[in-house]
Amino acid sequence: MAADKQYRVVGTRPIRHDGVDKVTGEARYGADIHLPGMLHGKVLRSPHAHARILRIDTSKAEAHPDVKAVITGVDLPQVADKVQDLGEMVVNLKDESNRILATGKVLYEGHPVAALAAADPHTAEEALKLIDVEYEPLQPVLDVRKAMEPDAPILNPNQRTSGIGAGDGKPSNLARHFRHERGDIERGFAEADAVIEREFITSMIHQGYIELQNGTAHITPDGRLTIWCSSQGAFSIRDQVANICNIPLSMIKVVPMEIGGGFGGKTGVYLEPLAALLAKKSRKPVKMTMTRAEVLTATGPTSGSYIKCKIGAKKDGTLTAAHVELYYEAGAFPGSPVGAASGTCLAPFKLDNVRIDGYDIVVNKPKTGAYRAPGATNAAFATEGVVSELADQIGMDPIEFRQKNAVQQGDRRADGPLFSKIGHVETLEATAESPHWNEPLEPSSDPAKKRGRGVASGFWFNGAGAATASISVFADGTVSLIEGSADIGGHRASCAMIAAEVLCLNAEDVKPQVGDTDSIGYTSVTGGSSATHKTGWATHEAALKVKAEVVNRAAKMLEVDPDEIEYHDDATLSAASKPDAKLTFAQVAARANSTGGPIVGEAGLSTGGAGNAFGTTIVDVEVDVETGKVDILRCTTVQDVGKAIHPSYVEGQMQGGAVQGIGWALSEEYVYSGEGRLLNASLLDYRMPTTLDAPLIETIMVEVANPAHPYGVRGVGEVPIVPPVAAIAEAIYNATGVRMYQAPMNPAYVLSRIQGKA
Amino acid sequence: MKDIEYAAPRSLDEAAAILNERGSRARPLAGGTDIIVQVREGCRDIDILVDVKKIPELSAVQFNRDEGLTLGAAVPCYQIYNNAEVAQAYPGLIDAAILIGAAQIQGRASFGGNLCNASPAADTICPLIVHSAVCSIYGPDGSRAVPVEEFCSAPGQTVLKQGEFLVSIALPPPKPSAAGRYLRFIPRNEMDIAVAGAAAYVELENGMIGSARVALAAVAPTPLFVAEIGERLAGQDITDETLREAGEIARAAARPIDDMRGTVEHRKELCAVLTRRALKGAIERAQENA
Amino acid sequence: MAEKRRVQFIVNGDKAEVYCSPRESLLEALRDHLYLTGTKEGCNNGNCGACTVQLNDRIVDSCLVLAVECEGDEVLTVEGLAGENGLHPVQQAFLEHAALQCGVCTPGFLVASKALLDANPNPTEHELRYFLAGNLCRCTGYDKIVHAVMAAAQTIQENE
Ligand code: FES
Ligand code: FES
């Protein structure tokens, strides 16, 4: 299933350019920095989920001979109440400042209250015990429904509800209530032969990147700040630090180190502003890294949620109406991904009568961050779950049911926008034809083990944005490529392939690297599945400029008009009037300095036209009906990937997303005590899938090219996490006959459902 | 991590002297897979780690079919399962050795360390109990022996007195028509702490159950030896009903708590299921071992 | 303060010496004293395998070993895998099979995979998954890692 156009390099599988460094240990990640005279910073965090800070006494820590700087909330400049767009999330700067270092109140366990720097990390950690903080503990609120009750403890007395219900003037934990509405749902439900209404609960969960958050800062006496860190976007980190620390952005250089996974969780700053302030105070470089417990308690996991979903269908399978209510935990400050959830939850279905209510609710948990298709997985668990139940009730095959209602180009998405070219129908067809769907699932010989198969679909918008790429030609006929997108999953190789495609070189002839914020133009974060779309496009434009200049130089060398030059697929150039004089790209490159100077091409652009992605997952499970344990036997993920630039890394995104979905479905959850303490802040008890918890993941790439992109690129990273939770719930139902309304579907829950107790 | 000292004595007496002098501020270090984490995370406040791996008695594995097995307290798991004779003689122990952590942990973690860590969820303790293993303890007053089922006194606490430490664990010689089995329940397939576990050891006589021992993990403050199951099973025919009854005794005996790893209800249910399955597994092995 | 100690050991075939306090782990000795930052920290308590190194004949989580315990020992890290003839077959296979995305888990997987193939040159998929269960990867879903290690096994056998 290939996008129509044939390419030389695009669509092949070269070895990634940064690969050797990453298999030899040469690649340098943020925590690998060592600077002369470097100090180590550590953060003192709140042990309470909700408390007033009555007093902070840092004098003992300051008196410690090895402690070189101590900071608290008062060291942060006052910032304005204004919003900043982080690509996948929009944040308020005042909240951000408060999140970086608390003043007045702490709002979640792990909320930073002070930081210090000392000669080595152990000394720094021990010295934290010398800081005295007096708290007045307050009642925490941890659940979205409780947070909305009239007598709930209020996190922020200045917060009023915006959107629907605004204006009663009372402080509220409900930050925003919005509604998308089309048609007439009452009439739609009346037309239905079957209406199903269910409630779903999902736990807060974490991105689980293996690399811990880190940041190292150095300030020169004239005030120039350099930050080394692992993030999804160096420019965004620069801008956030500039805003929070009130430093002109031109005084800050952010050097992107290799990043050990982000999945949305490394778009916001955590340690960088603290390291900068400590570096300023101590006049030494300061390195900070989090422990795993800090990462789990105090970075930005994704929202837990409570979702009510009601959908109606006719006997022939036509959907008639849907009403979805999405209640999302924002964490300590507003800004859950409930908006994205509302746009994704019904996107696969053609529907004329829809109402979607979104509620963004603060609770005493860490401020949520983006996580792979933010908000979409929770919502799909609910909507796809009800759709599966409807299909089952009217006796229709679940794929056929989805095909019957599938959106296509020109249809309206449930929350309003019109779809451009999309491949949902094609992915469903590929799913129905897949080997997995057509091979029967053999029952287990063990009577305690029941097997079942499930299927579900999902949607993600995908992203575009500002990006810059710069290509310089080397004298030996190879080129360097500097681009601005942080490379999380191998997109640097894709950009190099695009440059090679344009210039008719081999992928290996392009040397890509990610530039720092002083050496390459602005590039927005690697998020929303945008990097290959936007930076690939910028690379394409930069390469076209190089190509044009190479043509000019060849014309000069051959003494012909540039229009006469033909640039051949093998990177040779010729002119019809000079049939014997053929030039190679390398020959032109070698003469560059004498034919007009170094050859460079640069492009900065803001792309639009992100192509939406649809995916469908098929999964087979085996349920031990005596213990409630669920094992995944087989999993196939089918996705419209637009054009796969480097298919291996597209498959990798699909497989990685699927297995994260398996973790979400079965074993990952934030377990809080009643006081709001996270009880499982370790990778022992925050259970991400191991090698033994996932099968090989079959992938089917459906290539419906995105007509708005020069190569047909759609983002690929996010949608594969959307369907698995719902697909697994459906598979468990088909194995056991009981429906699942909670994620994770951990053994205790599954067993209690099987035994009819929950 | 707080500042700590390190000592690496080479003899039992040297170790006993340091441990006695430093009392509760000292702690032996074997594989370190628990104690290092506990000190680092501030859950055990001590001043000195006493590395016992350089003491010959703690690193030895001695086995012969007449006298049984003596397992040095610091012997890492991999040396147990890689020892073909031991693996063949005590498959019920190997069940535990291969599911503690993964390869990296098995390269360091020891049965002795697991025992002294005294977690109710420990994977080695129940199998040792059902194999009637005995701890050999050394201290300022010399040696003493304590059956494994009496070794743990509370979560994280043992009967070891000031200056005492575990030297080795002795198992009786393997018998024909007898075998053990350990099963644990975890939400993933690796790397978890048991939500519940059951170890069973069965000796068959004339195709019937001659004697049986069952112990349960993670359902009481210490690993729980359930003597009633042995009493109920002795002399019984092997039927599904007998095994089911054994499971019910286990369910009744279990005194679990609700925590983030499991609920009371789920753990009790698991005790019944795992006991039945572990007994069945032990019986099958014993039959093969006839 | 506990007295610092001098620890002499062999790292990737070369003599190495660190002067460290007893609370410092082998992982810290490698990264912060010897600047061998290829070995990564993902949890510092034995649950992720990012810090996997070979200590004498076994793989260990270097975050769970004190540096002072290593006097006289031999340590192999990811930096020591490639030899005179270039990359180790496991490294080559990870490249060819796209078995890394962010690459932060990769050093641990490579050291563990090499140890697996040294001990069991022809593992089944289950044996391989069992041996590597202490190494978490959040990016790949393990599929391509499994394929890469299988392929490396084959290459090693063909080269023999
Ligand atoms: S850092 Fe050592 S196992 Fe995770
Ligand atoms: S490649 Fe990123 S964690 Fe494995």
Side-chain angles (χ1 to χ4, degrees):
Chain A
M1 268 158 281
D4 0 358
K5 185 143 189 255
Q6 285 307 305
Y7 298 99
R8 275 178 53 258
V9 180
V10 164
T12 63
R13 300 175 185 240
I15 286 180
R16 61 193 274 170
H17 300 74
D18 53 330
V20 170
D21 284 353
K22 286 182 175 158
V23 298
T24 55
E26 299 273 334
R28 302 231 299 159
Y29 295 74
D32 301 340
I33 277 274
H34 288 93
L35 298 172
M38 184 173 84
L39 304 176
H40 295 264
K42 287 280 172 193
V43 181
L44 182 70
R45 297 176 181 279
S46 165
H48 303 289
H50 195 190
R52 219 179 299 286
I53 303 172
L54 300 179
R55 189 178 58 86
I56 306 180
D57 178 358
T58 59
S59 56
K60 273 187 249 151
E62 269 159 296
H64 188 296
D66 293 333
V67 172
K68 306 297 179 192
V70 185
I71 54 172
T72 65
V74 298
D75 292 288
L76 277 179
Q78 290 286 323
V79 294
D81 221 342
K82 75 171 191 194
V83 296
Q84 186 184 12
D85 189 349
L86 298 188
E88 282 198 306
M89 305 285 273
V90 174
V91 295
N92 177 297
L93 279 174
K94 206 174 181 91
D95 290 348
E96 284 297 278
S97 171
N98 235 325
R99 178 176 70 72
I100 295 301
L101 266 182
T103 46
K105 266 172 105 180
V106 287
L107 296 171
Y108 55 98
E109 182 202 15
H111 199 159
V113 288
L116 57 75
D120 72 87
H122 294 286
T123 305
E125 186 189 324
E126 290 300 297
L128 291 177
K129 295 175 188 155
L130 301 174
I131 301 175
D132 263 346
V133 186
E134 200 185 319
Y135 297 99
E136 177 197 337
L138 303 168
Q139 185 69 31
V141 58
L142 301 164
D143 173 272
V144 285
R145 281 171 291 176
K146 294 216 173 87
M148 289 174 66
E149 285 169 4
D151 55 349
I154 293 290
L155 272 72
N156 177 357
N158 298 322
Q159 179 175 290
R160 309 280 184 280
T161 303
S162 70
I164 300 171
D168 77 345
K170 288 205 206 91
S172 170
N173 293 322
L174 173 59
R176 187 161 78 102
H177 171 201
F178 62 86
R179 173 174 293 172
H180 300 298
E181 186 151 33
R182 274 199 302 120
D184 177 349
I185 57 168
E186 306 311 331
R187 202 188 58 215
F189 286 125
E191 283 168 7
D193 298 308
V195 175
I196 289 177
E197 180 172 13
R198 298 283 180 249
E199 293 172 46
F200 297 81
I201 292 172
T202 72
S203 167
M204 177 171 269
I205 67 161
H206 198 270
Q207 296 84 353
Y209 36 79
I210 301 301
E211 181 204 35
L212 307 163
Q213 249 89 358
N214 58 75
T216 301
H218 180 49
I219 289 192
T220 55
D222 61 347
R224 281 175 296 123
L225 167 64
T226 305
I227 291 174
W228 295 262
C229 64
S230 306
S231 85
Q232 289 178 232
F235 290 90
S236 162
I237 298 293
R238 180 194 66 183
D239 298 353
Q240 292 175 66
V241 172
N243 281 323
I244 291 168
C245 300
N246 199 17
I247 302 173
L249 63 84
S250 57
M251 294 295 276
I252 308 174
K253 173 165 93 174
V254 176
V255 182
M257 306 298 288
E258 294 295 348
I259 168 171
F263 315 110
K266 289 187 186 153
T267 52
V269 289
Y270 294 95
L271 299 174
E272 295 86 345
L274 300 176
L277 292 178
L278 289 169
K280 194 171 173 192
K281 249 194 177 169
S282 64
R283 287 173 283 117
K284 294 266 176 61
V286 174
K287 171 165 152 182
M288 302 183 80
T289 57
M290 287 195 191
T291 63
R292 178 56 63 178
E294 287 179 291
V295 168
L296 288 166
T297 48
T299 59
T302 196
S303 307
S305 55
Y306 162 72
I307 301 172
K308 256 162 100 173
C309 175
K310 179 179 178 186
I311 305 181
K314 290 193 185 150
K315 275 204 201 79
D316 68 355
T318 314
L319 292 175
T320 60
H323 182 196
V324 185
E325 291 168 74
L326 305 156
Y327 299 82
Y328 274 51
E329 294 171 351
F333 303 99
S336 75
V338 66
S342 72
T344 57
C345 65
L346 293 168
F349 309 107
K350 218 183 312 193
L351 271 163
D352 294 325
N353 305 306
V354 206
R355 183 185 296 161
I356 303 168
D357 283 292
Y359 301 84
D360 185 33
I361 303 151
V362 296
V363 292
N364 293 108
K365 296 183 182 178
K367 163 77 175 73
T368 55
Y371 178 28
R372 205 169 202 156
T377 304
N378 321 34
F381 175 45
T383 50
E384 291 284 321
V386 171
V387 162
S388 290
E389 217 170 315
L390 274 171
D392 195 47
Q393 186 164 331
I394 64 170
M396 204 162 162
D397 171 271
I399 295 182
E400 203 186 315
F401 189 92
R402 285 173 172 81
Q403 282 172 317
K404 175 141 190 115
N405 294 290
V407 285
Q408 305 186 40
Q409 181 167 10
D411 286 336
R412 200 166 275 291
R413 202 167 75 201
D415 59 324
L418 283 179
F419 282 110
S420 60
K421 184 134 183 76
I422 48 170
H424 186 35
V425 169
E426 290 83 346
T427 54
L428 285 172
E429 197 177 290
T431 309
E433 287 167 4
S434 66
H436 186 169
W437 190 250
N438 290 291
E439 283 162 22
L441 175 59
E442 300 297 333
S444 166
S445 55
D446 181 344
K449 308 276 170 76
K450 304 285 184 217
R451 294 180 176 179
R453 175 171 294 167
V455 66
S457 297
F459 168 83
W460 182 248
F461 314 94
N462 287 334
T468 313
S470 171
I471 297 173
S472 326
V473 178
F474 292 130
D476 64 358
T478 62
V479 303
S480 90
L481 164 66
I482 303 179
E483 46 117 334
S485 282
D487 181 4
I488 310 192
H491 96 271
R492 156 174 32 181
S494 299
C495 288
M497 290 168 73
I498 287 173
E501 185 71 47
V502 173
L503 296 172
C504 305
L505 301 173
N506 297 317
E508 304 75 54
D509 296 333
V510 183
K511 242 171 94 180
Q513 59 168 305
V514 182
D516 65 54
T517 56
D518 280 0
S519 64
I520 185 75
Y522 184 86
T523 302
S524 53
V525 293
T526 299
S529 291
S530 66
T532 303
H533 183 279
K534 67 193 174 197
T535 313
W537 196 336
T539 304
H540 173 75
E541 298 290 335
L544 286 177
K545 288 184 186 167
V546 168
K547 191 174 184 179
E549 191 54 24
V550 168
V551 167
N552 282 339
R553 304 301 176 86
K556 245 189 203 165
M557 287 167 72
L558 294 179
E559 299 173 326
V560 299
D561 192 87
D563 291 346
E564 213 192 302
I565 296 285
E566 248 190 276
Y567 194 125
H568 303 281
D569 270 1
D570 58 353
T572 58
L573 300 99
S574 61
S577 61
K578 300 268 173 80
D580 300 333
K582 205 167 192 179
L583 287 172
T584 64
F585 182 88
Q587 285 167 328
V588 178
R591 293 277 310 279
N593 292 356
S594 58
T595 55
I599 302 175
V600 265
E602 189 158 25
L605 47 98
S606 285
T607 65
N612 297 160
F614 286 87
T616 298
T617 301
I618 315 168
V619 68
D620 293 350
V621 302
E622 180 171 279
V623 184
D624 184 330
V625 295
E626 294 178 347
T627 65
K629 172 105 187 294
V630 178
D631 275 304
I632 307 292
L633 300 177
R634 185 173 180 183
C635 177
T636 300
T637 169
V638 190
Q639 185 177 326
D640 169 18
V641 300
K643 177 67 198 166
I645 303 290
H646 192 312
S648 296
Y649 288 98
V650 172
E651 290 163 1
Q653 289 295 324
M654 295 166 70
Q655 292 163 335
V659 173
Q660 290 184 355
I662 290 171
W664 195 330
L666 298 180
S667 56
E668 293 178 36
E669 60 187 306
Y670 267 37
V671 185
Y672 277 100
S673 73
E675 295 79 44
R677 304 231 163 91
L678 184 61
L679 298 173
N680 59 334
S682 76
L683 294 185
L684 178 62
D685 290 311
Y686 183 81
R687 303 184 187 96
M688 305 199 286
T690 71
T691 49
L692 288 168
D693 298 308
L696 294 174
I697 307 292
E698 296 160 60
T699 55
I700 299 177
M701 292 183 280
V702 180
E703 292 192 309
V704 178
N706 172 11
H709 188 272
Y711 294 88
V713 164
R714 292 174 196 275
V716 296
E718 295 184 275
V719 80
I721 201 176
V722 183
V725 182
I728 289 168
E730 168 76 355
I732 294 173
Y733 166 74
N734 286 326
T736 63
V738 288
R739 294 269 171 202
M740 301 286 124
Y741 301 115
Q742 172 195 304
M745 296 162 254
N746 59 34
Y749 174 71
V750 172
L751 188 64
S752 67
R753 293 282 301 152
I754 290 172
Q755 296 182 336
K757 291 176 192 159
Chain B
M1 178 168 176
K2 81 177 286 264
D3 194 40
I4 44 155
E5 294 167 68
Y6 170 83
R10 308 225 159 224
S11 71
L12 295 176
D13 286 324
E14 211 188 316
I18 304 173
L19 290 167
N20 194 33
E21 187 198 324
R22 306 297 290 270
S24 64
R25 306 305 301 166
R27 189 91 186 159
L29 167 69
T33 53
D34 285 317
I35 188 71
I36 291 176
V37 176
Q38 290 163 0
V39 177
R40 186 176 283 153
E41 293 177 354
C43 356
R44 259 208 216 259
D45 183 19
I46 54 157
D47 296 332
I48 179 166
L49 283 171
V50 182
D51 187 348
V52 293
K53 292 189 289 295
K54 304 207 159 62
I55 307 170
E57 289 87 341
L58 277 89
S59 295
V61 182
Q62 286 167 11
F63 173 69
N64 74 57
R65 295 202 79 90
D66 300 326
E67 280 159 40
L69 172 67
T70 305
L71 198 56
V75 173
C77 288
Y78 83 94
Q79 282 182 18
I80 303 169
Y81 60 68
N82 277 354
N83 183 321
E85 275 186 312
V86 173
Q88 209 251 332
Y90 304 101
L93 282 197
I94 304 305
D95 289 338
I98 61 171
L99 52 71
I100 293 193
Q104 290 89 332
I105 302 290
Q106 291 160 11
R108 302 286 288 176
S110 61
F111 275 42
N114 197 232
L115 190 45
C116 293
N117 188 50
S119 160
D123 285 313
T124 66
I125 305 181
C126 290
L128 288 170
I129 291 173
V130 300
H131 282 87
S132 307
V134 175
C135 302
S136 166
I137 294 167
Y138 192 79
D141 302 331
S143 305
R144 65 184 177 117
V146 172
V148 172
E149 62 260 40
E150 291 165 21
F151 186 77
C152 301
S153 52
Q157 284 172 32
T158 67
V159 298
L160 290 174
K161 296 196 253 216
Q162 167 127 354
E164 282 189 333
F165 59 101
L166 180 67
V167 176
S168 60
I169 306 158
L171 276 80
K175 294 188 186 164
S177 296
R181 181 87 173 101
Y182 176 66
L183 293 175
R184 72 169 178 193
F185 182 82
I186 54 172
R188 289 184 293 191
N189 289 303
E190 255 299 345
M191 300 300 287
D192 285 340
I193 303 285
V195 176
Y201 175 83
V202 177
E203 290 181 16
L204 302 179
E205 268 168 36
N206 310 320
M208 298 196 306
I209 299 173
S211 67
R213 286 168 69 87
V214 169
L216 303 173
V219 293
T222 59
L224 185 66
F225 175 51
V226 190
E228 304 92 291
I229 296 181
E231 287 156 19
R232 177 73 189 80
L233 290 182
Q236 296 292 310
D237 280 332
I238 302 165
T239 65
D240 287 349
E241 183 49 27
T242 331
L243 299 186
R244 202 193 59 76
E245 267 178 50
E248 290 313 311
I249 299 173
R251 183 202 301 272
R255 293 173 272 128
I257 52 164
D258 271 328
D259 66 14
M260 48 96 183
R261 293 188 181 129
T263 60
V264 167
E265 196 180 350
H266 193 216
R267 284 186 157 128
K268 281 187 156 268
E269 189 71 40
L270 290 171
C271 282
V273 175
L274 294 175
T275 296
R276 175 161 50 77
R277 290 181 183 178
L279 278 166
K280 190 154 182 257
I283 290 166
E284 279 164 12
R285 280 180 178 163
Q287 287 165 337
E288 283 164 25
N289 188 22
Chain C
M1 283 304 244
E3 216 176 306
K4 286 196 173 187
R5 292 177 173 236
R6 206 170 291 288
V7 182
Q8 293 183 318
F9 54 144
I10 308 283
V11 179
N12 298 330
D14 295 327
K15 276 193 197 147
E17 185 177 296
V18 294
Y19 183 60
C20 62
S21 80
R23 65 181 164 187
E24 288 181 272
S25 65
L26 172 59
L27 176 63
E28 290 174 277
L30 293 169
R31 288 180 54 83
D32 300 339
H33 291 267
L34 299 173
Y35 302 117
L36 289 169
T37 55
T39 305
K40 302 302 182 196
E41 177 187 333
C43 68
N44 212 25
N45 57 11
N47 293 312
C48 77
C51 66
T52 303
V53 300
Q54 190 168 319
L55 179 63
N56 302 322
D57 61 339
R58 305 301 300 178
I59 54 166
V60 298
D61 291 324
S62 60
C63 68
L64 293 187
V65 177
L66 300 178
V68 292
E69 291 182 82
C70 299
E71 178 63 38
D73 286 341
E74 272 189 54
V75 177
L76 176 74
T77 72
V78 69
E79 287 95 342
L81 288 182
E84 283 168 15
N85 304 323
L87 297 178
H88 186 277
V90 173
Q91 293 172 305
Q92 189 63 35
F94 267 59
L95 290 180
E96 283 169 11
H97 290 265
L100 55 140
Q101 282 175 31
C102 78
V104 83
C105 68
T106 310
F109 268 100
L110 291 170
V111 172
S113 302
K114 177 195 176 282
L116 164 68
L117 298 183
D118 286 349
N120 178 0
N122 202 1
T124 63
E125 184 191 328
H126 182 78
E127 286 168 342
L128 185 162
R129 285 182 180 273
Y130 171 73
F131 195 86
L132 297 179
N135 292 81
L136 290 176
C137 173
R138 189 59 158 173
C139 297
T140 63
Y142 305 108
D143 182 290
K144 293 192 189 301
I145 293 176
V146 170
H147 282 116
V149 181
M150 291 291 209
Q154 208 170 358
T155 312
I156 292 170
Q157 287 191 320
E158 282 163 9
N159 290 351
E160 263 162 18

